[in-house]
Structure formats: structure tokens, C-alpha cells
Amino acid sequence: MTWKSGPVLGIETSCDETSAGIVEAGTIRGHVVASQDVHGAFGGVVPEIAARAHIRQLDRVVEAALEEAGMSADLLAGVGVTTGPGLIGCLLVGVNWAKALAFDQDLPIVGIHHMEAHLFANSLERPEAEPPFVALLVSGGHTLLLWVPEWGRYALLGQTRDDAAGEAFDKVARRLGLGYPGGPEIQRAAARGRPGRYSLPRPMLSTAAGPDDPAWFDFSFSGLKTALSLLVAEIEEESEGAMERARDDLAAEFQAAVIEVLVTKTLRATELTGCRRVIIGGGVACNAPLRERLAEVLSADGELYAPTPRLATDNGAMVARLAEHRLAAGERDGLDLSADPSLPFPGISKDA
Ligand code: KG4
Ligand code: ZN
């Protein structure tokens, strides 16, 4: 089926960001992200509160994105919406909203996989961020190391066996008495601290196995979190105020451990594939020392593609970008489209 090209609306409501982006020919025309600040008080996202906030905000967010693009909804050429993975109540708000719009405006609609959209985010800023590349996707719910020979073909090299990288940042921040989301808080504390004063493990780095063993590429952050938690318990025993003095150094050591693991495994993927182009995405890709370290190790003969923070964290523009790609390829879904909290990554296999 041919598609009459034009501006595409992307809707993202999978977690605690209500966002709408409008993309045309790979360029952002309008983009609004409404973050939900209410969850900080609970130390994490409360699914029911998040879903209700999406209902309250989505009309206004889409209107603001259309306004920024200087257009009305009847000029849209298509709509894309995140159908998973994510929180079911949150996803359903976006999916039903998008379907109502598609029905009302007689627009083609495509359901979008949230992590595949993270992969496309970078190309909005750097059009040359096209495959082939090695991709490191690190968010609050996922840690994926992929080989991407072309769009739509994804070889899964490694993934987390327990907590996601962002989840580890959030949980460790909480244990250290820092706020939510934990990633930026840890980054700030780490900048004041010194790694090495305390010693934390670098999980799954010491394996003697080679590329044939999944452990070579897989991640695990749960043990690191427990190791830190035990250290905190010891320090708290020492004296009142000991934790105050240790906090920044603990944050620095934790961040250094995560970065060392992520960077080492990513380099292993570049060795396996012979491709030194690396793309990163997801909220943890905002982490400045991680970006600096990756850029440094790739500086001689490689290239790092790292989105600016507003496109690394959850946003509607990345959804619109992937939707435009899929609509242009003649794909579309029916109005029976639904949300799937554990939607499998499309086109993924153990070897590509
Ligand atoms: O991709 P994202 O916005 O939402 C999900 O799809 O999960 O990622 C959110 C995650 C949170 O765990 C947050 O703590 C983490 O990204 N994050 C960071 C930083 N900024 C956000 N982690 C480390 N350093 C940061 N600067
Ligand atoms: Zn995300």
C-alpha cells in the first residue's frame, strides 16, 4: 500500500512521560514532553497515578505539539503510538487516544515498540545515525546490546539477567538516600566523590568465556546493588554521620562499576562484528561520564552516536520517527491494535 507522506504524530505514554512528537521527513516539527513529577514522593513510578496523569495531560500535550508545528490535526499523514513494553494502564491511554484520532481523521496508524523507537531517536539529530551499528539500549526497564546490520534486523548479543541499568541507578540512589529518578542524582553525587575509596564488583566481566558464551555479552546489576547495600549497612553501623561522608564516594564507585561493564561489553560487540560505529539510547544514555568514556574508547577509529538528553529519555518524537519509517515502508495496523506490556522486540533474533 502506498502512503501519502506528510507529518506523522507519535504518542508515548508507556511509563511516566506524557509525550507527543510530530516528525516529517525525519525532522522534528513539534515536540512536547510532560514529565510527571508526582512520583518522586513515592520513590518510583506508581502505575495507577501515572495512567491517570496521562489521561489528564494527553489532549494538552498533543495540542501543544501541533501548535509548535504550526498545524492542525487534519494535516497529519499518520499516527504512531507505543504499544509496549511498558505499564499496561499507561500504554492503554496512549493506544486508545491514538486509535480515536486515527478513526476520527481517517489516518493510518502503526503500533510502535518502545525500545525500537529508542534506537531511532538519534537519527532525528544526526541523520547519518543509520545502521550498520552496535547499539547499547539502557533504560529503566531494559538493558540490550544489539548488532543492527539494517533497520528491522536486530541480533541480540546481550541483555540483563536481572535488573536493568537504569533500575540499578534508581534503586541504589534510594539506598543512598538520594531522590528519584536516581540516574541524574547519582551522576551529581558521583561528580563530587571519588571512585576507588570503596570497592564494588564489576559483574560478569571476569568470565573466562569468549564470544560463544552468552555471559560474554550479558549483564547483571542485581548483585552490584546488593554489594552496595551491604557496604551501606556497614558504614551506617560505624557512626552517625558516616554515611553523609561516604555517600558521594559510594555513588562514584557505583557509577564507575556500571560504566566499566557497559563500555567493556560494548567494545566486545564491536570486536565481534568488526563495526566500530556505536549508538546509545534510553535514559541511562544521558549519563555524561558514560558518554565521555564511550567517546574516548571509540575516538581513534570509531564513531559514537549519543542523543541529547531530551531524545535519550522517553519522548514522542522517537515514536513518530519510527512510525514514519514504517508507514513509508507500507506498513499499518488496524483499529484492533492493542497494548502489550511485554511486547517482543520486532525483528530480533539470536543472530542476524
Ligand atoms: O528511557 P527512560 O527515560 O525510560 C524507560 O524507558 O525506562 O529511562 C529512564 C531511566 C531511569 O532509570 C533513570 O534513572 C535513568 O534512565 N537515567 C539516568 C540518567 N538520566 C536518566 N541514569 C544514569 N545517569 C543519568 N544521567
Ligand atoms: Zn524508554
Side-chain angles (χ1 to χ4, degrees), residues 62-197:
V62 175
E63 255 167 47
L66 285 166
E67 199 172 310
E68 195 183 312
M71 57 178 286
S72 50
D74 58 327
L75 293 176
L76 289 169
V79 56
V81 59
T82 303
T83 53
L87 301 167
I88 184 65
C90 294
L91 291 165
L92 280 170
V93 175
V95 171
N96 286 318
W97 203 99
K99 287 204 292 188
L101 178 76
F103 179 74
D104 183 50
Q105 297 288 332
D106 196 19
L107 290 174
I109 185 170
V110 279
I112 297 296
H113 188 282
H114 180 81
M115 296 312 290
E116 190 183 14
H118 272 303
L119 208 53
F120 275 73
N122 211 282
S123 64
L124 288 162
E125 292 172 321
R126 294 177 70 185
E128 73 278 19
E130 293 266 334
F133 47 63
V134 164
L136 176 69
L137 296 180
V138 272
S139 71
H142 300 265
T143 307
L144 297 167
L145 186 58
L146 305 171
W147 161 235
V148 184
E150 59 186 66
W151 290 132
R153 256 178 73 202
Y154 308 115
L156 177 63
L157 301 176
Q159 60 188 325
T160 184
R161 296 191 174 183
D162 38 62
D163 292 352
E167 186 181 358
F169 270 96
D170 294 335
K171 288 178 174 169
V172 161
R174 196 169 176 171
R175 186 73 178 97
L176 292 177
L178 299 166
Y180 175 87
E185 296 274 340
I186 297 235
Q187 187 185 319
R188 265 192 295 277
R192 295 187 298 260
R194 185 163 56 85
R197 182 176 156 210

Side-chain angles (χ1 to χ4, degrees), residues 222-241:
S222 164
L224 176 59
K225 175 192 66 190
T226 307
L228 178 128
S229 188
L230 293 172
L231 254 180
V232 170
E234 265 175 42
I235 296 165
E236 280 171 341
E237 285 286 297
E238 276 170 24
S239 70
E240 218 172 298

